[in-house]
């Protein structure tokens, strides 16, 4: 529900009247708002009463000129494209089929974690005990009255002169028992078009809502300001979540996870709350299927922080002969133990919103084979012949236009593509999309990988001794900051389970939830920590990464099969000497890649202790303190 408590009664009455006008002209305005749509939009009458009430209340608050309920049709999509060209939001990339370039306001280029809040009656629902009343590194809390005020300060009349789009969307295949429905209301046609790629939208979702009226209310406005073609309000951007009310409200940004509310806001922040309540897991994880040379197929999920290699691993081309990788998802996994005790995962998304820089025919040929049709590129560089370019794609063509629309050449000391520039592309057109990627019951998970960017000290792979140790590995994960959010510099940050920006509730309770997973008759996946990013003293990556990561996956599978190809270390199990296949790789400094420097790890243990104490405190499960002491003891005696 939208909350009008802070708005005077007569104002509410007046705005509701305006909304009636807006709603009653919906049908006629549809033609002007979304010109060229050849099918009429589903009528408001087609909405369930709850959905209709959400739309009416939002219209009353935002006062759009028109309301358009999205049906998800092709005609609607082409009308949106037409409109966005007129408004200067998109331009066609004539070199490819149905591909588009968007340039954002330079102040609206990534997720804004500092302005992302979770609302609850009690602060401790959101913030661990150690940080109550203070700034927390594990999420921001907002009290209900402040939440109301933030909405009241931004939303009244914010859609005047604009069309309000109503997007019914499903996270997960429509009708799957693991799927959930949302309705996003937005004034951004770019968001509508992107949601159409990233989620399943339209009439079929409205149909499903008639069976079960439950949905997450998502209200989004880009706000006023910004540059021509990219309205936004970076100074006043705010992203609010109210899990108890199934509500997300976002203002001021049109970019990525700030505005495509099905993704991080719903599938992770609200999702994690639902998952805890209902006994499952909502995680920042890719899902891949891997078939070994004997034809045995297994599925692996992996949690790496933003811009740390999920899309690349999910689509990897194995360098090891006889292996095949297929992609189920590249960013989010919803996982639940089935009645046979098997952990099953679905990808709630329908597309990839992938990091462009670094993607090339060498590093990720599958992504390159995916993105040159039906794709929106945002903040990449443009070539003279209507194509795209970014750092890491290969040598730079002449006469590039950079992401800000300025002429660019290799002598400039600014990047041509923004480091967080992205492609938004339908998952279904990935050449290695898994045959079961839309399976209603999900795919069975054999192993869970955790990892991050660790330039020093952290081995290529370590296997957890057991589930509890694996949960500790997740809790103590750290990674170098990337351009996916507003953090600057290469500072190594704690990022537990790659979820630091995405927890919907108290991290201590999240750990307890993970610890509660092992139950009689459940087949617990093995947990591993990987690091593709360790560097030599000269600053070079010690491991070639990308397709060569298949060598690490092979060892993971052998461990899942119970092979004794491991040896014990203070951190857990690593490959026994000679058991990681590096045949044909040339010079690999295995000693440095797997070294466990005692001084580094004593400091790491201290850093973990400090983090646990200062950020979590008494909400940290005792098991984590026990594991930290085991780590410290092991390292001291090594
Ligand atoms: P989000 O979409 O932000 O969640 O990111 P992601 O985890 O999907 O990261 P992605 O796969 O897009 O990779 C981000 C960057 O890391 C790209 O520039 C990649 O080229 C680079 N990268 C990915 N895998 C590897 C690897 O194995 N080794 C090295 N050195 N770089 C990698
Ligand atoms: C991430 O930052 O982890 C992303 C991109 O996957 S965004 O959709 O902006 O969250
Ligand atoms: Mn991500």
């Amino acid at each position: 529900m939208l909350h009008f408590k802070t708005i005077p009664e007569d104002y509410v009455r007046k705005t509701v009247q305006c909304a009636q006008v807006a709603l009653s002209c919906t049908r006629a305005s549809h033609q002007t708002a979304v010109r060229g749509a050849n099918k009429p939009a589903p009528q408001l009458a087609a909405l369930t009463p709850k959905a209709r009430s959400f739309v009416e209340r939002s219209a009353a608050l935002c006062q759009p000129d028109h309301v358009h309920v999205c049906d998800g049709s092709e005609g609607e999509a082409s009308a949106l494209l037409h409109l966005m060209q007129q408004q200067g939001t998109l331009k066609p990339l004539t070199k490819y089929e149905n591909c588009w370039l968007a340039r954002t306001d330079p102040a609206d280029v990534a997720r804004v974690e500092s302005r992302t809040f979770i609302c609850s009656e009690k602060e401790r629902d959101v913030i661990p005990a150690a940080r109550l009343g203070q700034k927390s590194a594990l999420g921001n809390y907002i009290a209900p009255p402040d939440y109301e005020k933030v909405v009241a300060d931004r939303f009244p009349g914010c859609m005047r002169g604009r069309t309000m789009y109503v997007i019914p969307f499903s996270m997960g295949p429509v009708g799957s028992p693991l799927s959930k429905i949302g309705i996003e209301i937005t004034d951004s046609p770019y968001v509508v078009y992107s949601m159409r790629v990233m989620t399943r939208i339209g009439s079929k979702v409205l149909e499903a809502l008639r069976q079960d009226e439950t949905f997450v209310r998502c209200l989004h406005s880009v706000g006023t300001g910004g540059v021509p073609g990219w309205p936004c309000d970076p100074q006043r951007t705010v992203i609010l979540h109210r899990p108890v009310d199934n509500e997300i409200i976002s203002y001021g940004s049109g970019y990525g996870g700030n505005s495509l509310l099905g993704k991080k806001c719903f599938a992770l922040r609200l999702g994690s709350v639902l998952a805890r309540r209902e006994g499952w897991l909502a995680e920042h994880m890719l899902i891949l299927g891997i078939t070994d040379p004997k034809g045995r197929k297994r599925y692996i999920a992996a949690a790496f922080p933003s811009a740390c290699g999920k899309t690349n691993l999910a689509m990897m081309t194995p360098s090891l002969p006889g292996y095949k990788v297929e992609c189920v998802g590249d960013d989010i996994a919803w996982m639940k133990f089935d009645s046979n005790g098997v952990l099953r995962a679905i990808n709630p998304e329908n597309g990839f919103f992938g990091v462009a820089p670094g993607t090339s025919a060498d590093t990720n040929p599958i992504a390159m084979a995916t993105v040159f049709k039906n794709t929106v590129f945002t903040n990449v560089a443009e070539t003279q012949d209507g194509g795209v370019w970014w750092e890491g794609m290969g040598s730079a063509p002449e006469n590039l236009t950079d992401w800000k629309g300025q002429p660019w050449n290799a002598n400039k000391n600014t990047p041509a593509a923004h480091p967080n520039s992205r492609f938004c592309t339908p998952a279904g057109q990935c050449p290695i999309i898994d045959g079961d990627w839309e399976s209603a019951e999900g795919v069975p998970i054999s192993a869970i990988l955790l990892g991050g960017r660790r330039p020093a000290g952290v081995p290529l792979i370590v296997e957890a001794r057991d589930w509890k140790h694996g949960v500790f590995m997740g809790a103590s994960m750290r990674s170098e900051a990337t351009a996916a959010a507003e953090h600057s510099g290469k500072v190594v940050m704690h990022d537990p389970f790659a979820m630091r920006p995405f927890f919907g509730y108290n991290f201590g309770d999240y750990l307890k939830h993970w610890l509660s997973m092992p139950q009689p008759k459940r087949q617990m996946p093995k947990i591993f920590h990987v690091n593709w990013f360790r560097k030599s003293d000269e600053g070079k990556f010690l491991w070639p990464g990308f397709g060569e990561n298949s060598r690490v996956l092979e060892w993971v599978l052998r461990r899942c099969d119970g092979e004794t190809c491991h040896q014990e270390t203070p951190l857990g199990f690593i490959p026994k000497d000679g058991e990681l296949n590096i045949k044909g790789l040339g010079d690999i400094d295995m000693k440095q890649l797997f070294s466990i420097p005692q001084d580094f790890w004593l400091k790491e243990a201290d850093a973990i202790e400090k983090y646990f104490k200062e950020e979590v405190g008494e909400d940290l499960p005792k098991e984590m303190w026990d594991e930290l002491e085991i780590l410290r003891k092991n390292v001291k005696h090594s």
Side-chain angles (χ1 to χ4, degrees):
M1 308 271 271
L2 287 168
H3 303 275
F4 298 101
K5 283 177 218 149
T6 51
I7 308 173
E9 203 36 55
D10 61 331
Y11 181 83
V12 174
R13 225 173 296 120
K14 216 164 70 203
T15 53
V16 169
Q17 273 162 16
C18 287
Q20 298 297 335
V21 176
L23 293 170
S24 62
C25 72
T26 294
R27 192 167 185 185
S29 67
H30 171 238
Q31 296 306 323
T32 37
V34 185
R35 237 167 298 164
N38 44 22
K39 270 200 245 157
Q43 297 307 294
L44 280 174
L47 299 175
T48 59
K50 266 198 197 159
R52 187 176 172 136
S53 147
F54 173 49
V55 172
E56 287 174 347
R57 281 160 170 271
S58 303
L61 181 66
C62 305
Q63 300 175 30
D65 282 12
H66 311 292
V67 178
H68 172 74
V69 180
C70 299
D71 62 7
S73 65
E74 290 299 324
E76 183 177 79
S78 48
L80 286 164
L81 290 171
H82 183 79
L83 179 72
M84 281 189 282
Q85 285 178 84
Q86 279 184 338
Q87 294 179 341
T89 304
L90 289 188
K91 60 183 289 192
L93 289 161
T94 50
K95 193 171 170 183
Y96 319 118
E97 185 192 330
N98 189 31
C99 285
W100 305 86
L101 174 65
R103 290 195 190 102
T104 70
D105 183 312
D108 188 21
V109 293
R111 283 184 293 100
V112 276
E113 294 174 0
S114 60
R115 292 152 181 271
T116 300
F117 298 88
I118 314 284
C119 180
S120 181
E121 285 300 321
K122 287 205 272 344
E123 185 182 4
R124 195 151 169 194
D125 294 340
V126 182
I127 303 296
R131 291 317 265 195
L132 293 177
Q134 305 160 69
K135 174 119 195 58
S136 160
L138 289 157
N140 302 310
Y141 168 75
I142 187 165
D146 297 330
Y147 180 102
E148 311 287 349
K149 187 167 181 326
V150 167
V151 175
D153 284 348
R154 286 165 178 75
F155 278 87
C158 69
M159 295 185 189
R160 264 183 222 136
R162 296 182 184 161
T163 296
M164 184 177 102
Y165 299 93
V166 179
I167 319 165
F169 66 95
S170 175
M171 298 312 289
V174 179
S176 159
L178 295 174
S179 298
K180 308 236 174 240
I181 288 176
I183 295 180
E184 176 160 353
I185 286 176
T186 179
D187 52 9
S188 161
Y190 171 90
V191 167
V192 181
Y193 193 84
S194 304
M195 283 294 284
R196 166 188 174 82
V197 175
M198 296 305 297
T199 73
R200 286 105 175 152
I201 75 162
S203 308
K204 55 186 187 285
V205 180
L206 286 183
E207 195 56 47
L209 262 184
R210 271 178 226 120
Q211 310 301 311
D212 177 354
E213 250 209 300
T214 318
F215 66 93
V216 170
R217 287 187 301 275
C218 308
L219 175 61
H220 170 253
S221 171
V222 288
T224 46
V227 297
W230 194 270
C232 59
D233 191 357
Q235 299 297 317
R236 300 205 305 153
T237 292
V238 65
I239 297 125
L240 304 172
H241 308 70
R242 177 120 101 179
V244 284
D245 281 334
N246 264 345
E247 183 175 88
I248 300 160
I249 298 186
S250 166
Y251 174 90
S253 166
Y255 202 78
N258 298 333
S259 66
L260 314 180
L261 300 185
K263 201 171 177 46
K264 298 303 171 24
C265 298
F266 182 164
L268 290 179
R269 298 198 190 93
L270 256 58
S272 62
V273 174
L274 292 169
R276 179 185 180 218
R277 195 184 300 149
E278 299 168 3
W280 50 280
L281 299 166
E283 301 298 332
H284 192 201
M285 290 183 184
L286 67 91
I287 309 162
L288 64 81
I290 177 164
T291 308
D292 68 17
K294 290 186 192 138
R296 278 189 70 191
K297 183 164 186 180
R298 258 74 59 91
Y299 289 92
I300 295 174
F304 311 151
S306 302
C308 290
K310 288 183 301 300
T311 302
N312 278 269
L313 192 69
M315 294 182 192
M316 80 128 84
T317 305
S319 61
L320 282 185
Y323 280 88
K324 183 164 96 180
V325 164
E326 287 160 291
C327 177
V328 176
D330 81 327
D331 200 50
I332 298 173
W334 281 358
M335 305 191 288
K336 188 177 187 171
F337 283 94
D338 68 13
S339 54
N340 298 317
V342 174
L343 185 62
R344 297 216 163 245
I346 65 162
N347 168 15
E349 300 192 279
N350 188 48
F352 307 123
F353 186 63
V355 177
T359 309
S360 73
D362 290 337
T363 57
N364 193 345
I366 299 298
M368 295 298 273
T370 305
V371 300
F372 296 116
K373 51 182 193 276
N374 309 319
T375 298
V376 178
F377 295 89
T378 304
N379 288 343
V380 301
E382 187 188 3
T383 63
Q384 219 174 10
D385 60 345
V388 294
W389 190 82
W390 46 73
E391 278 69 20
M393 191 199 258
S395 57
E398 301 268 293
N399 299 317
L400 279 175
T401 304
D402 73 9
W403 69 277
K404 291 183 174 170
Q406 301 300 314
W408 188 92
N409 62 53
N411 298 326
K412 283 217 171 173
N413 53 10
T414 52
H418 187 277
N420 192 41
S421 56
R422 297 202 174 231
F423 51 78
C424 177
T425 197
Q429 67 186 39
C430 174
I432 59 160
I433 198 74
D434 192 80
D436 278 341
W437 84 284
E438 298 193 279
S439 134
E441 73 268 28
V443 296
I445 298 297
S446 299
I448 293 172
L449 311 189
L450 310 163
R453 286 178 185 262
R454 298 304 304 265
V458 179
L460 179 65
I461 182 158
V462 181
E463 179 189 333
R465 291 179 295 270
D466 53 34
W467 184 263
K468 198 152 44 103
H469 182 215
V471 175
F472 172 74
M473 277 181 171
S476 53
M477 268 164 71
R478 300 169 81 189
S479 190
E480 237 174 26
T482 67
E486 72 266 45
H487 311 287
S488 54
K490 293 208 152 184
V491 48
V492 174
M493 301 170 72
H494 289 269
D495 194 344
F497 285 87
M499 283 285 283
R500 178 189 46 75
F502 310 122
F503 291 118
Y505 65 98
N506 185 319
F507 169 58
D509 294 332
Y510 170 93
L511 291 175
K512 285 169 202 154
H513 183 53
W514 264 79
L515 288 168
S516 77
M517 285 296 130
Q519 283 172 22
K521 301 215 178 92
R522 279 188 179 175
Q523 300 161 40
M524 302 312 289
K526 275 185 177 297
I527 300 178
F528 302 80
H529 187 281
V530 299
N531 176 26
W532 317 142
F533 300 94
R534 194 165 186 176
K535 288 181 174 169
S536 68
D537 297 338
E538 294 75 46
K540 288 243 159 66
F541 287 120
L542 288 164
W543 179 249
F546 303 105
E548 304 297 356
N549 294 333
S550 57
R551 297 166 187 273
V552 175
L553 298 188
E554 177 183 62
W555 188 77
V556 165
L557 293 182
R558 288 173 65 199
R559 287 297 300 143
C560 291
D561 288 340
E563 275 191 49
T564 48
C565 49
H566 63 296
Q567 57 182 320
E568 261 181 69
T569 77
L571 308 184
F573 307 136
I574 67 168
K576 210 188 265 177
D577 292 346
E579 293 291 350
L580 182 73
N581 180 353
I582 51 166
K583 229 185 291 160
L585 263 193
D587 225 9
I588 296 286
D589 188 344
M590 292 293 275
K591 209 163 158 232
Q592 229 192 321
L593 198 51
F594 280 97
S595 78
I596 300 172
Q598 192 187 44
D599 52 342
F600 174 95
W601 276 97
L602 288 175
K603 278 195 208 123
E604 186 74 7
D606 289 347
I608 296 166
E609 175 174 350
K610 186 165 184 284
Y611 189 71
F612 283 175
K613 264 197 188 133
E614 291 180 359
E615 291 293 340
V616 199
E618 65 183 80
D619 285 335
L620 192 84
K622 181 183 170 299
E623 290 88 336
M624 297 296 101
W625 288 121
D626 298 344
E627 288 294 333
L628 177 63
E629 276 331 295
I630 294 171
L631 170 68
R632 205 175 248 137
K633 201 177 82 225
N634 288 350
V635 173
K636 271 189 190 146
H637 296 142
S638 63

